[in-house]
Amino acid sequence: MPFLIVLIAAAAAVLSYRLLESWGERIWIPALCRGVGWGAVTLLLVNASCPTVRPSPRPTVLLDASLSMQAAGGQWAEARAQARAAGDVRLVGALPGDTTPSGGRSRLAAAIAGARSGGREVVVFTDGEVEDADALPADLLTGATIRVLPRQVVSDVALVRASGTSRLTPADTLRLEVEAQAFGPPREWRLGIEVTEGDRLWLRGALVLDAGGRGRIVLAGPLPPAAPGSHVLNIAVTGASDAEPRNDVRNLVVTIVPTPGIVLLASPPTWESRFLLETLRDVAALPVRGYLETERGRWRRAGDLKPVPTAEVNDAARRADVLVSFGETGAAARPSRARGRWLWPGIGALSGSAGDWYLSVPSVSPVSGAFAGVAVDSFPPGTAVGELMVGPADWTGLSAQAGRRGTVRPAMVGRDSAGVRRIVMGIEGLWRWAFRGGSSEQGYRGLVASSLAWLLGGADSAAGRARVIHEVVQRGRPVIFEWNGPGSAEATPVELTGASGSRTDTLGFDGAGRAEVILAPGTWRYRLTGGGQGTVVVEEYSDEWLPGERTLAAREAVERPAGGRVPVRGWLWLFGLGVVAFAGEWLARRRLGLR
């Protein structure tokens, strides 16, 4: 194309002299200069490109550095050797500053897209167990060569799940659910499970694998004598010999508190308080305790009805995370510092009206999701509704109408004020939803669960400026802090202390109010500047140790990087050639006596 442009421009220049000027013996000199100048200017205006011959660079080699590459049966050494021989190696998924497999996830899509944009050949070495294989478009893979070094099948037993109540009082029962799975032919079908803290045994049991290699056990027992505070439990398989011992131990942080997290006070006790207490125990992950004032000034513990001193009731109410109050609880609820208050004042205190009050979900609210797909107006009606005042910043969770006619009244109002979240109930008879069973019982449970989740979402003064979302995280994954202080999130220094020493860092929160910190496996104590401290555990366990599905297959690239092209405006000498050509034409014309 550039040569054709130059040829046309030169021909036009010669013809301009041939047709417009008197052709003489030396006229070809300015005509040649004009042809060169016109050709240069035309090339610069069109800005055509020309192929360039460059030496082919070494391929960009992406080496999967997730933990699965060095798990039992993995071929990390072979993959690393082949990658170094193939080109310039870049680790994908490794933690910052690490040169060994340390990533807790296998994701390659972003790395392949970035490598292809460099215009070099791309080669990927992996075990094929890739999480985001579905996110790799076909046109992206056409320019990448995939080399798969699959993990070999080995005999292994892993604890794939360990869960339990993380907050308990000294009188509560510790209950843990443990699941195990065998990969390859198991060597033992009966596994011993021990729950320990250091040298002290908390629980013990035996787990039996079924024909599919899976097993589940529920361990339960009273708490051993332990001081209040956080305790890191090791849940381990005993007596099993397998190829991958790093997935045989799970951790759980259990916090022992002097008082329960959810306290219900009822004065006097009613059917409403009884059904709500039972549902709270079913849906809440925190310890729940109820106190009933059967006579004025005399409190009894719900369940066994044993008398308790008023001081115990006051202390439980003061330390609770969520306080639920029925009726006139008086001085018992006043010292509470709970971040969530659920008030059932009673219809008498709200100047209520008796009758059949059918409920509905008026609009989007924190509890509206509990009623998705259910007909709330078909549930048993409430027996009475009181007068509730709704402020401009309040939300209404339930509304009621007498006999499905007449004025719609708010029956459930929530507000967030001064760092304390409150829900006020102006309806009686909701316990009939739970008593009836079926969809109405599920609606009642959903209402209780969503209300409790919203109440617990208030600012926790004990957590300080930020709190850890998960107290136990897998190896290779970040510890996530969530902003808990007033106002917008701001950078917060944090001091971390573990077995390997202490370190300081700064939590930089994103737009969602979350910050991430990468820590080595072990138990860490953190302390935030401005208040707040706690314990977080990074397990040796990772899902990457478990053999996964091979989602990425080996393939050859069907497209090679195209040869480079350079625009003619990048040729600086072409500008100079045009200037010299027009200057030469002017000089030649002057010598010939032309204007």
PDB file of all heavy atoms in Angstrom, residues 225-239:
ATOM      1  N   PRO A 225     -13.958 -27.228  82.682  1.00  0.00           N
ATOM      2  CA  PRO A 225     -13.640 -25.970  83.372  1.00  0.00           C
ATOM      3  C   PRO A 225     -12.692 -25.119  82.520  1.00  0.00           C
ATOM      4  O   PRO A 225     -11.593 -25.546  82.176  1.00  0.00           O
ATOM      5  CB  PRO A 225     -12.967 -26.432  84.671  1.00  0.00           C
ATOM      6  CG  PRO A 225     -13.469 -27.833  84.874  1.00  0.00           C
ATOM      7  CD  PRO A 225     -13.646 -28.406  83.509  1.00  0.00           C
ATOM      8  N   ALA A 226     -13.148 -23.940  82.150  1.00  0.00           N
ATOM      9  CA  ALA A 226     -12.361 -23.068  81.283  1.00  0.00           C
ATOM     10  C   ALA A 226     -12.654 -21.628  81.640  1.00  0.00           C
ATOM     11  O   ALA A 226     -13.785 -21.278  82.005  1.00  0.00           O
ATOM     12  CB  ALA A 226     -12.675 -23.325  79.810  1.00  0.00           C
ATOM     13  N   ALA A 227     -11.646 -20.794  81.543  1.00  0.00           N
ATOM     14  CA  ALA A 227     -11.795 -19.387  81.870  1.00  0.00           C
ATOM     15  C   ALA A 227     -12.592 -18.680  80.792  1.00  0.00           C
ATOM     16  O   ALA A 227     -12.566 -19.076  79.624  1.00  0.00           O
ATOM     17  CB  ALA A 227     -10.419 -18.737  82.013  1.00  0.00           C
ATOM     18  N   PRO A 228     -13.320 -17.623  81.146  1.00  0.00           N
ATOM     19  CA  PRO A 228     -14.021 -16.843  80.117  1.00  0.00           C
ATOM     20  C   PRO A 228     -13.028 -16.272  79.110  1.00  0.00           C
ATOM     21  O   PRO A 228     -11.892 -15.952  79.428  1.00  0.00           O
ATOM     22  CB  PRO A 228     -14.702 -15.734  80.919  1.00  0.00           C
ATOM     23  CG  PRO A 228     -14.807 -16.277  82.315  1.00  0.00           C
ATOM     24  CD  PRO A 228     -13.593 -17.128  82.505  1.00  0.00           C
ATOM     25  N   GLY A 229     -13.476 -16.182  77.879  1.00  0.00           N
ATOM     26  CA  GLY A 229     -12.621 -15.677  76.816  1.00  0.00           C
ATOM     27  C   GLY A 229     -12.626 -16.612  75.618  1.00  0.00           C
ATOM     28  O   GLY A 229     -13.444 -17.537  75.525  1.00  0.00           O
ATOM     29  N   SER A 230     -11.717 -16.382  74.692  1.00  0.00           N
ATOM     30  CA  SER A 230     -11.644 -17.160  73.454  1.00  0.00           C
ATOM     31  C   SER A 230     -10.761 -18.388  73.646  1.00  0.00           C
ATOM     32  O   SER A 230      -9.686 -18.301  74.245  1.00  0.00           O
ATOM     33  CB  SER A 230     -11.096 -16.299  72.312  1.00  0.00           C
ATOM     34  OG  SER A 230     -11.947 -15.209  72.044  1.00  0.00           O
ATOM     35  N   HIS A 231     -11.223 -19.508  73.104  1.00  0.00           N
ATOM     36  CA  HIS A 231     -10.481 -20.768  73.157  1.00  0.00           C
ATOM     37  C   HIS A 231     -10.427 -21.346  71.747  1.00  0.00           C
ATOM     38  O   HIS A 231     -11.468 -21.459  71.079  1.00  0.00           O
ATOM     39  CB  HIS A 231     -11.148 -21.763  74.103  1.00  0.00           C
ATOM     40  CG  HIS A 231     -11.213 -21.287  75.532  1.00  0.00           C
ATOM     41  ND1 HIS A 231     -10.284 -21.637  76.474  1.00  0.00           N
ATOM     42  CD2 HIS A 231     -12.105 -20.466  76.160  1.00  0.00           C
ATOM     43  CE1 HIS A 231     -10.589 -21.071  77.628  1.00  0.00           C
ATOM     44  NE2 HIS A 231     -11.696 -20.352  77.463  1.00  0.00           N
ATOM     45  N   VAL A 232      -9.225 -21.698  71.311  1.00  0.00           N
ATOM     46  CA  VAL A 232      -9.030 -22.257  69.975  1.00  0.00           C
ATOM     47  C   VAL A 232      -9.023 -23.781  70.089  1.00  0.00           C
ATOM     48  O   VAL A 232      -8.138 -24.365  70.732  1.00  0.00           O
ATOM     49  CB  VAL A 232      -7.719 -21.762  69.341  1.00  0.00           C
ATOM     50  CG1 VAL A 232      -7.534 -22.375  67.958  1.00  0.00           C
ATOM     51  CG2 VAL A 232      -7.712 -20.246  69.255  1.00  0.00           C
ATOM     52  N   LEU A 233     -10.027 -24.426  69.483  1.00  0.00           N
ATOM     53  CA  LEU A 233     -10.157 -25.878  69.539  1.00  0.00           C
ATOM     54  C   LEU A 233      -9.594 -26.500  68.269  1.00  0.00           C
ATOM     55  O   LEU A 233      -9.808 -25.984  67.166  1.00  0.00           O
ATOM     56  CB  LEU A 233     -11.624 -26.271  69.700  1.00  0.00           C
ATOM     57  CG  LEU A 233     -12.385 -25.681  70.899  1.00  0.00           C
ATOM     58  CD1 LEU A 233     -13.783 -26.260  70.966  1.00  0.00           C
ATOM     59  CD2 LEU A 233     -11.625 -25.924  72.197  1.00  0.00           C
ATOM     60  N   ASN A 234      -8.890 -27.615  68.438  1.00  0.00           N
ATOM     61  CA  ASN A 234      -8.396 -28.416  67.321  1.00  0.00           C
ATOM     62  C   ASN A 234      -9.275 -29.642  67.179  1.00  0.00           C
ATOM     63  O   ASN A 234      -9.400 -30.440  68.119  1.00  0.00           O
ATOM     64  CB  ASN A 234      -6.948 -28.843  67.549  1.00  0.00           C
ATOM     65  CG  ASN A 234      -5.987 -27.680  67.586  1.00  0.00           C
ATOM     66  OD1 ASN A 234      -6.112 -26.762  66.795  1.00  0.00           O
ATOM     67  ND2 ASN A 234      -5.049 -27.705  68.516  1.00  0.00           N
ATOM     68  N   ILE A 235      -9.902 -29.794  66.026  1.00  0.00           N
ATOM     69  CA  ILE A 235     -10.746 -30.955  65.741  1.00  0.00           C
ATOM     70  C   ILE A 235      -9.962 -31.823  64.766  1.00  0.00           C
ATOM     71  O   ILE A 235      -9.743 -31.424  63.614  1.00  0.00           O
ATOM     72  CB  ILE A 235     -12.086 -30.515  65.137  1.00  0.00           C
ATOM     73  CG1 ILE A 235     -12.756 -29.490  66.057  1.00  0.00           C
ATOM     74  CG2 ILE A 235     -12.997 -31.703  64.902  1.00  0.00           C
ATOM     75  CD1 ILE A 235     -13.914 -28.757  65.431  1.00  0.00           C
ATOM     76  N   ALA A 236      -9.514 -33.002  65.220  1.00  0.00           N
ATOM     77  CA  ALA A 236      -8.542 -33.770  64.449  1.00  0.00           C
ATOM     78  C   ALA A 236      -8.974 -35.224  64.303  1.00  0.00           C
ATOM     79  O   ALA A 236      -9.689 -35.780  65.156  1.00  0.00           O
ATOM     80  CB  ALA A 236      -7.168 -33.709  65.117  1.00  0.00           C
ATOM     81  N   VAL A 237      -8.534 -35.823  63.208  1.00  0.00           N
ATOM     82  CA  VAL A 237      -8.692 -37.264  62.984  1.00  0.00           C
ATOM     83  C   VAL A 237      -7.544 -37.971  63.683  1.00  0.00           C
ATOM     84  O   VAL A 237      -6.373 -37.573  63.545  1.00  0.00           O
ATOM     85  CB  VAL A 237      -8.680 -37.591  61.480  1.00  0.00           C
ATOM     86  CG1 VAL A 237      -8.746 -39.088  61.253  1.00  0.00           C
ATOM     87  CG2 VAL A 237      -9.840 -36.901  60.787  1.00  0.00           C
ATOM     88  N   THR A 238      -7.832 -39.001  64.431  1.00  0.00           N
ATOM     89  CA  THR A 238      -6.793 -39.768  65.129  1.00  0.00           C
ATOM     90  C   THR A 238      -6.776 -41.196  64.595  1.00  0.00           C
ATOM     91  O   THR A 238      -7.799 -41.739  64.203  1.00  0.00           O
ATOM     92  CB  THR A 238      -7.044 -39.780  66.641  1.00  0.00           C
ATOM     93  OG1 THR A 238      -8.313 -40.406  66.909  1.00  0.00           O
ATOM     94  CG2 THR A 238      -7.064 -38.372  67.204  1.00  0.00           C
ATOM     95  N   GLY A 239      -5.600 -41.760  64.584  1.00  0.00           N
ATOM     96  CA  GLY A 239      -5.455 -43.165  64.184  1.00  0.00           C
ATOM     97  C   GLY A 239      -5.564 -43.417  62.704  1.00  0.00           C
ATOM     98  O   GLY A 239      -5.682 -44.566  62.278  1.00  0.00           O
TER      99      GLY A 239
END
